[in-house]
Amino acid sequence: MSFLRPFVALLVLLFGVQLRAQERCLLVLSGSVVDDHDGAPLGFARVQVVGASQGVVADAEGRFRLDGLCAGPLELRIEHLGCQPVQRKVDLMTDRTITVRLEHHAEELKQAEVVRERPDENVGMSRAAVDRAAMERSMGRSLAEMVAGVPGVTVLRSGPVIAKPVVQGLSGNRVLTLNQGVRQEDQQWGGEHAPDLDPFSTDRIELVKGAASVQYGSDALGGVVITSPVELPREGGVGGAVGVVGTSNGLGGTAQAVLEGGIGHLRGPGWRIQGSGRLLGDGQAPGYVLSNTGLREGAGSIAVGYHRPRSGAELYYSYLAREVGILRAAHVGNLTDLENAIARDEPWYQAPFTHAIDAPRQMVRHHLLKAHGELRVARRGQLEVTYAYQANDRQEFDIRRGGRSARPALDLFLATHSADLVLKHHVGARLHGKVGANGVLQTNVNIPGTGVSPLIPDFRRNLLGVFVLEHLPLGDRVELEAGARMEGAGLTVYTYDADDRPVTDDLRFLNGAGSLGANWGVSDSLRLRFNLSSAFRPPHVSELYSAGLHHGAAAIEEGDASLGSERMIKGTIDLEGSAWRGRLTGIVSLHAGRADGFIQLRPDGVELTIRGAFPVFRYTATDAFIWGVDGRARLRLSRSWSTTLEWSIVRGRDLVRDEWLYLMPSDRGGLLLAWQGGDQGSRMRPEVAVRSSLVLRQTRYPVDLDLADPPPTYHLLGLSAAIERRMGSGILRVGIEGNNLLNTRYRDLMDRFRYYADARGVEVLLRLGYTFGRRAG
């Protein structure tokens, strides 16, 4: 780790880091939330410490109190119905009382008198957030890698750059992604199809763990990843941020920028423009190059909006273009070569490092256009309408003879129209919630000219769902939630029979879901959340009709047209608490669920084709029981030093075959030791962290099913250092991060290319970011 020393020394010299006396976390921050116009109290505002679990709801007079805080700077996020949420930085050295003023209007106060929490919050489910500060620390990472820091979340990979989130053992079509509040509609059925969105189009990523079909619809069996719409400015002033990242593994980097503001002295209009780009060459495993695993990506978005006290409207557009190389060593010529490739310690194909991307490769272009409007109705209701159009163009290129590798072997165009209508309401003094309906019209077309039979056929999909979700607070410590959903889906598939004659299949699916939840503040330092939900998803066309070589996965995939809807009943219990006046905080999540008609893509031998030899995977259904526990505990050793322990354990049983489920994540844990500086009035905040991650060998798996046994246990060591300094009206952040510093050779069970090559070796990232104007606070 000697290569880190000069950089850390430079940080120390540049910013003059000084260690100060350590103090215990015994401080109290109290205050009130009032209207900026007339000083009237804003009752039941939400006050949250950014980046921590500490948060309270103010009383009817807008008063709040936060206990067990540590000395030093902290950031508060304050929310209230009818107000634009604000974040305020507070330097806390002794007990303090503050007054927070929010921009509000008299007519809105009448509608907010009984608000406790946001009506769309899942009170009984485990939620986690990656806020803007955490995203800046993770700049250069994919969406899946950003949320992988949440306990219970792992990553399903296809090589070094393609990643999808796995939530409590469930992935793919069982984890729903909302992009700017809209269901992400791309070709997400592929294990190597990463979500086609730019995480920096938002400044906050939320994760809901659990069966959440009532609110979010089908596919939300495992959880929901939400990239929240950015709240546009509503008054004059301009702000923004720029950032760059350099990466040693792949010799590339990332650049991103955002600019936002209002229009002069007008109150209401706002705008935001954002763009990013990524470039990586071949990944590097310990001792060799992972040939043809480069990445090129460019993305941008623009949003405009106008908000008044009782209404608002926004228009949003984003575009993403991505080209990804597929590990060349995953494509072999015959069965003997395939067996040898799996048995080798190193890939059979290795070439010098390059930024060029050749076949096999993927190219994706994704457009999202969204219009959103909201209107206050009656005294305490709000009507929201959202329309979105998405266009996804995916091409996959195989290694083909006769100079035809430049012709796509798979060329799909997916067009999706969606609409959502939601009424948020308050009934009486306590009951609040929302009712809504949503619909989807979707068309998938195979573009002619590939010269091969389509992997999945053309289809049309229609969906209509209605739901209700209600909350009932019982006193100051207990809140109940109940909801129900009914959803119908129609699927028309255009395919061919054995004699190559066109056939049209019409399928219909009708599903219902229910949810019961509770959030109980047992004491000021202990909270219990409980949820019991049912969830569902109809089978995807790929699971029903896949037939042939999936080039991006380097595998043959076969569907089963007899598959039905997958249904799950899942219970979760979360226990969150603190001790020793806030020095020790933690959360433990228990989950268990039974899924009937659980659809798996299971290995089924190998097959030799004219394009080479490939493993065969078939979609099959079974009944499954999945359970586990994950959690996080954080101990503040002193004012600046802290340590964090994380763990995740998942078990899955195939109830029909009476065996362990295929491809369940291995047990894993991590330990973090962190130091953070900064004093009252300080213009800089340095931080250093050491991470240790341990992933155990999976010993619970179906015998003689997979092409290779699960890989052995591995341990990874990481180190990061950064410093944030205020410079004029802006904030400069400089950081360095090292991963797999011991250059450990390992393979992960959740990597589909683990048969052919090791994972990435040592990696060093250098980050530089600058935030300015109103965005710097």
Side-chain angles (χ1 to χ4, degrees):
M1 303 189 303
S2 59
F3 61 91
L4 298 176
R5 295 174 183 169
F7 187 80
V8 175
L10 178 62
L11 292 179
V12 174
L13 292 175
L14 178 61
F15 294 98
V17 178
Q18 295 181 350
L19 297 175
R20 298 295 176 95
Q22 312 302 312
E23 300 178 13
R24 300 178 65 189
C25 301
L26 306 173
L27 301 182
V28 176
L29 177 65
S30 58
S32 57
V33 183
V34 301
D35 180 15
D36 189 44
H37 290 286
D38 56 14
L42 298 182
F44 307 114
R46 179 73 179 177
V47 183
Q48 180 73 39
V49 180
V50 176
S53 62
Q54 292 154 302
V56 295
V57 176
D59 64 16
E61 298 301 320
R63 296 185 295 259
F64 67 90
R65 176 186 172 96
L66 289 165
D67 297 299
L69 299 176
C70 303
L74 56 85
E75 189 169 2
L76 299 178
R77 178 180 174 90
I78 303 95
E79 300 175 351
H80 190 271
L81 184 65
C83 301
Q84 184 178 15
V86 300
Q87 295 194 186
R88 174 172 172 179
K89 294 183 178 179
V90 178
D91 288 312
L92 191 65
M93 300 305 293
T94 61
D95 293 347
R96 275 188 70 178
T97 300
I98 64 173
T99 299
V100 179
R101 296 182 176 273
L102 297 185
E103 184 67 34
H104 217 299
H105 294 267
E107 61 267 28
E108 292 174 81
L109 282 173
K110 298 176 183 178
Q111 302 168 18
E113 290 173 349
V114 299
V115 173
R116 298 278 308 172
E117 303 225 2
R118 292 174 295 176
D120 57 347
E121 184 174 359
N122 297 92
V123 298
M125 288 188 177
S126 178
R127 300 175 70 100
V130 182
D131 60 17
R132 190 173 76 189
M135 292 182 66
E136 289 173 351
R137 295 187 187 97
S138 302
M139 188 166 53
R141 299 298 187 193
S142 67
L143 175 71
E145 290 169 326
M146 287 185 180
V147 299
V150 177
V153 181
T154 52
V155 176
L156 177 66
R157 294 188 178 276
S158 295
V161 295
I162 303 175
K164 303 183 72 167
V166 181
V167 182
Q168 294 178 338
L170 300 176
S171 63
N173 289 326
R174 299 183 186 94
V175 176
L176 179 64
T177 300
L178 296 185
N179 183 6
Q180 300 295 314
V182 175
R183 288 175 63 105
Q184 175 75 5
E185 296 289 353
D186 49 21
Q187 304 286 356
Q188 65 262 36
W189 48 269
E192 83 302 343
H193 296 175
D196 297 329
L197 62 88
D198 176 17
F200 283 97
S201 62
T202 182
D203 59 6
R204 181 178 176 86
I205 303 171
E206 292 186 77
L207 175 69
V208 178
K209 294 189 289 184
S213 284
V214 168
Q215 180 169 341
Y216 301 105
S218 60
D219 299 347
L221 280 76
V224 187
V225 178
I226 305 169
T227 63
S228 305
V230 175
E231 294 162 353
L232 298 177
R234 303 187 186 186
E235 55 188 25
V238 176
V242 294
V244 293
V245 180
T247 306
S248 65
N249 199 319
L251 294 182
T254 301
Q256 68 96 17
V258 59
L259 191 65
E260 61 187 21
I263 300 178
H265 298 289
L266 297 178
R267 185 181 298 277
W271 53 271
R272 184 178 190 265
I273 300 174
Q274 173 268 337
S276 68
R278 296 174 67 195
L279 174 65
L280 292 173
D282 292 335
Q284 180 80 34
Y288 56 85
V289 173
L290 299 169
S291 297
N292 201 50
T293 56
L295 167 72
R296 297 191 188 103
E297 180 180 291
S301 66
I302 181 170
V304 294
Y306 186 78
H307 291 271
R308 298 298 295 166
R310 299 183 59 87
S311 62
E314 292 185 7
L315 188 64
Y316 174 87
Y317 170 76
S318 66
Y319 173 74
L320 178 139
R322 178 189 292 143
E323 183 178 16
V324 183
I326 303 299
L327 181 69
R328 177 65 179 84
H331 289 242
V332 296
N334 56 59
L335 295 177
T336 300
D337 289 344
L338 177 59
E339 294 173 355
N340 291 337
I342 294 174
R344 291 172 61 100
D345 290 333
E346 294 188 3
W348 70 270
Y349 181 89
Q350 298 181 39
F353 172 86
T354 178
H355 285 90
I357 299 176
D358 203 351
R361 61 190 174 97
Q362 302 176 359
M363 292 184 65
V364 178
R365 291 174 292 277
H366 189 83
H367 303 259
L368 168 61
L369 176 65
K370 184 190 80 167
H372 175 82
E374 56 191 44
L375 175 67
R376 295 290 169 82
V377 294
R379 291 186 63 250
R380 291 177 294 171
Q382 180 167 295
L383 184 66
E384 298 184 356
V385 180
T386 304
Y387 165 78
Y389 171 73
Q390 297 180 68
N392 186 269
D393 188 1
R394 168 174 286 272
Q395 296 176 316
E396 298 186 6
F397 300 82
D398 193 13
I399 301 172
R400 308 174 74 174
R401 298 185 181 93
R404 296 184 301 148
S405 295
R407 178 192 296 185
L410 180 69
D411 196 346
L412 299 173
F413 180 78
L414 184 71
T416 306
H417 299 267
S418 63
D420 297 88
L421 178 65
V422 176
L423 175 63
K424 298 181 179 180
H425 58 268
H426 296 79
V427 180
R430 292 182 176 273
L431 185 67
H432 61 273
K434 61 183 179 179
V435 296
N438 54 16
V440 174
L441 299 175
Q442 187 175 77
T443 303
N444 182 77
V445 177
N446 282 274
I447 307 301
T450 63
V452 297
S453 298
L455 174 63
I456 64 171
D458 296 349
F459 66 85
R460 292 174 60 90
R461 184 172 74 101
N462 305 320
L463 182 149
L464 179 63
V466 294
F467 73 94
V468 57
L469 188 66
E470 299 293 337
H471 292 193
L472 178 63
L474 301 177
D476 294 331
R477 293 191 178 274
V478 178
E479 184 165 359
L480 304 180
E481 175 191 82
R485 183 183 188 90
M486 184 64 68
E487 183 174 292
L491 183 64
T492 303
V493 182
Y494 306 96
T495 183
Y496 296 87
D497 62 15
D499 297 323
D500 208 28
R501 292 175 299 191
V503 176
T504 300
D505 291 341
D506 287 309
L507 306 176
R508 298 291 181 265
F509 304 94
L510 181 63
N511 292 288
S515 175
L516 293 173
N519 190 331
W520 177 26
V522 182
S523 67
D524 291 338
S525 59
L526 184 63
R527 180 169 296 277
L528 177 68
R529 287 188 291 266
F530 165 80
N531 181 266
L532 179 64
S533 297
S534 62
F536 62 88
R537 72 175 188 94
H540 192 273
V541 170
S542 62
E543 297 166 329
L544 297 168
Y545 293 98
S546 287
L549 177 62
H550 188 182
H551 310 278
I556 295 170
E557 298 179 1
E558 299 290 343
D560 182 353
S562 67
L563 295 174
S565 289
E566 186 175 299
R567 294 181 175 87
M568 171 175 277
I569 297 178
K570 186 172 184 177
T572 61
I573 298 176
D574 280 13
L575 189 63
E576 183 177 7
S578 62
W580 300 340
R581 295 184 177 271
R583 290 183 60 189
L584 176 64
T585 59
I587 180 171
V588 177
S589 299
L590 305 173
H591 60 92
R594 178 190 169 107
D596 293 332
F598 186 81
I599 300 173
Q600 288 184 293
L601 186 60
R602 286 170 59 95
D604 190 21
V606 296
E607 184 175 322
L608 181 64
T609 72
I610 60 173
R611 296 182 183 86
F614 298 93
V616 178
F617 291 82
R618 298 188 187 278
Y619 288 101
T620 63
T622 188
D623 296 336
F625 184 66
I626 301 171
W627 72 101
V629 57
D630 54 72
R632 169 184 290 158
R634 182 173 185 264
L635 176 63
R636 184 172 289 276
L637 305 172
S638 65
R639 174 175 166 262
S640 297
W641 288 94
S642 65
T643 183
T644 303
L645 174 67
E646 299 176 346
W647 66 91
S648 175
I649 299 172
V650 180
R651 301 285 183 265
R653 290 291 295 182
D654 186 324
L655 301 179
V656 174
R657 300 180 179 87
D658 191 23
E659 64 182 14
W660 295 107
L661 273 180
Y662 170 66
L663 209 60
M664 283 286 104
S666 306
D667 296 347
R668 62 195 63 217
L671 185 64
L672 175 75
L673 179 64
W675 174 85
Q676 186 174 63
D679 304 299
Q680 183 179 15
S682 173
R683 297 173 61 86
M684 55 201 174
R685 294 190 64 185
E687 58 188 42
V688 179
V690 180
R691 302 181 309 280
S692 174
S693 302
L694 179 67
V695 178
L696 302 181
R697 180 179 183 271
Q698 179 61 276
T699 59
R700 300 168 180 85
Y701 61 94
V703 180
D704 298 328
L705 175 66
D706 207 348
L707 300 176
D709 290 336
T713 296
Y714 65 88
H715 171 259
L716 302 179
L717 184 66
L719 175 66
S720 62
I723 196 161
E724 191 177 274
R725 177 169 182 172
R726 182 168 290 277
M727 302 180 65
S729 62
I731 298 174
L732 176 68
R733 182 179 178 86
V734 183
I736 184 171
E737 177 183 347
N739 299 305
N740 193 7
L741 292 179
L742 303 181
N743 206 28
T744 301
R745 293 189 63 173
Y746 73 98
R747 301 189 183 193
D748 192 278
L749 177 66
M750 305 302 289
D751 189 342
R752 294 194 67 177
F753 290 159
R754 67 181 175 85
Y755 306 120
Y756 312 105
D758 295 326
R760 282 183 297 191
V762 63
E763 176 185 54
V764 177
L765 297 92
L766 298 177
R767 295 188 175 96
L768 178 64
Y770 182 68
T771 304
F772 59 90
R774 60 178 299 136
R775 191 175 174 89

